[in-house]
Structure formats: C-alpha cells, structure tokens
Amino acid sequence: LFMATAIILSVMFALRTYIAARPPMSSLYEIVMLVALMLMVFESGAFVFCKRRTYTLMIPITLMASVLLFFAKFVLEPGDTFQPIPTVLNSSVFLTIHVFSIALGFAGMILSGVVSHLVLYRRSRMTPLFSLMYGTLVFGMVFTVLGTLLGGIWADFAWGRFWGFDPKECGALFVI
C-alpha cells in the first residue's frame, strides 16, 4: 500500500507539473505534498533495496506521511491555486534546487525523528535503527544546510541580498 501511495503521489506531482507548466514547488501545499512523497519513496526504497527488510518503520512513516497529506488537504488546499508564481520569485534555477533540497532535508529530518522515537522505544544503542537514525540525521542536515545556502544564492541573484533575517530564513538557521 505504501508503494502504491508513492506511485500515486508521483503521478499526481507529475500531473501538477504538467498542468501548471512549472515545477510545483512554490506554495506550502506543494512543498508539503513533496515532503510526503519523499517520505513514501524513502520507505519504499528502504524496503525494496535493504537486505534485512524491516517492517518496524512502515507504520510510523506511513502515519507521518498521512498526517502531512491530511494537513495539505484540509488546511492548505482551500487556499491553493494553480496560478504561476510571480516573476521575481521564479527568477532562477536556484529556486527549484533550493526548494527541492530543503524538502529533502525536511523529509530526512522527519525520518530521523521517527527512527529516533523507535530507538528510544527499544532502549538500545546497538540496533541497526541507531545507525539508521544517525544516517538520516546527517542526510537531513546536509540537505537542510545545502538548501539554505542555495536559497541565499537565489536571494542574492533575485533581490541583491544573501540574507534578510525574515522568519523563514531564521527558522532554517534554527533547524541547522
């Protein structure tokens, strides 16, 4: 079911790209959908490619993706439009790379949080989950830092300043 969900979300994301004629990464609705998609793809990939298949992560990761999709559907979708983003925001390829990197970082951090709770539940430092927790934390951190730096490059290119101390930039700094 989670693999089917990942496929359906991928098709929906591709259709939204086709309909909007742009990468769907400009609204909070689209970013939350992208993060949910990445969580499901990570879980599908881990299940298919890992030698020791673990069913431990299926329910918590599916639950987190479901919460994100619920949030996107009932909180964000009513204000969502397919209108193109303003030209000043759509000024560079750095915007798409920045948003995609940040979404990868968010998905890695959410995955790390889920795995961390499972490690705490099992109360053992030497399980494979402990290594997975560390790996997903590093993965999320690397992409969050990379996305923040790319966002600064994009902001400098689009607006002439690298950092503006607005709430989103400060929030990204707090995560880092």
Side-chain angles (χ1 to χ4, degrees):
L1 286 176
F2 65 84
M3 285 183 196
T5 304
I7 291 169
I8 290 169
L9 281 173
S10 298
V11 169
M12 289 173 56
F13 206 77
L15 286 173
R16 190 167 178 99
T17 302
Y18 176 73
I19 292 168
R22 63 174 169 77
M25 297 181 199
S26 61
S27 69
L28 188 56
Y29 172 79
E30 294 168 340
I31 293 168
V32 169
M33 294 287 288
L34 180 62
V35 171
L37 170 64
M38 288 179 185
L39 282 174
M40 298 309 288
V41 168
F42 288 164
E43 177 59 25
S44 300
F47 184 76
V48 169
F49 295 114
C50 288
K51 293 178 184 172
R52 293 178 46 205
R53 291 191 172 137
T54 178
Y55 298 95
T56 309
L57 292 174
M58 276 188 201
I59 293 173
I61 292 175
T62 304
L63 181 64
M64 287 303 299
S66 299
V67 167
L68 287 171
L69 292 173
F70 180 84
F71 179 73
K73 172 68 179 162
F74 294 107
V75 176
L76 300 175
E77 187 182 54
D80 182 50
T81 62
F82 274 104
Q83 297 175 5
I85 58 177
T87 307
V88 70
L89 294 177
N90 198 16
S91 58
S92 174
V93 73
F94 285 114
L95 173 65
T96 303
I97 296 170
H98 154 68
V99 172
F100 189 73
S101 298
I102 289 289
L104 269 175
F106 287 170
M109 290 296 190
I110 290 171
L111 188 59
S112 177
V114 168
V115 175
S116 298
H117 281 84
L118 291 173
V119 168
L120 285 173
Y121 176 73
R122 292 198 174 176
R123 295 183 181 159
S124 174
R125 291 180 55 99
M126 297 321 229
T127 64
L129 286 176
F130 189 78
S131 298
L132 182 62
M133 177 189 67
Y134 182 74
T136 54
L137 184 61
V138 169
F139 176 85
M141 189 68 186
V142 165
F143 277 99
T144 302
V145 169
L146 179 67
T148 302
L149 291 175
L150 288 170
I153 293 169
W154 166 70
D156 188 41
F157 180 77
W159 297 328
R161 62 179 173 80
F162 183 80
W163 191 265
F165 290 101
D166 72 354
K168 289 186 290 182
E169 292 171 343
C170 293
L173 182 63
F174 293 150
V175 169
I176 293 169

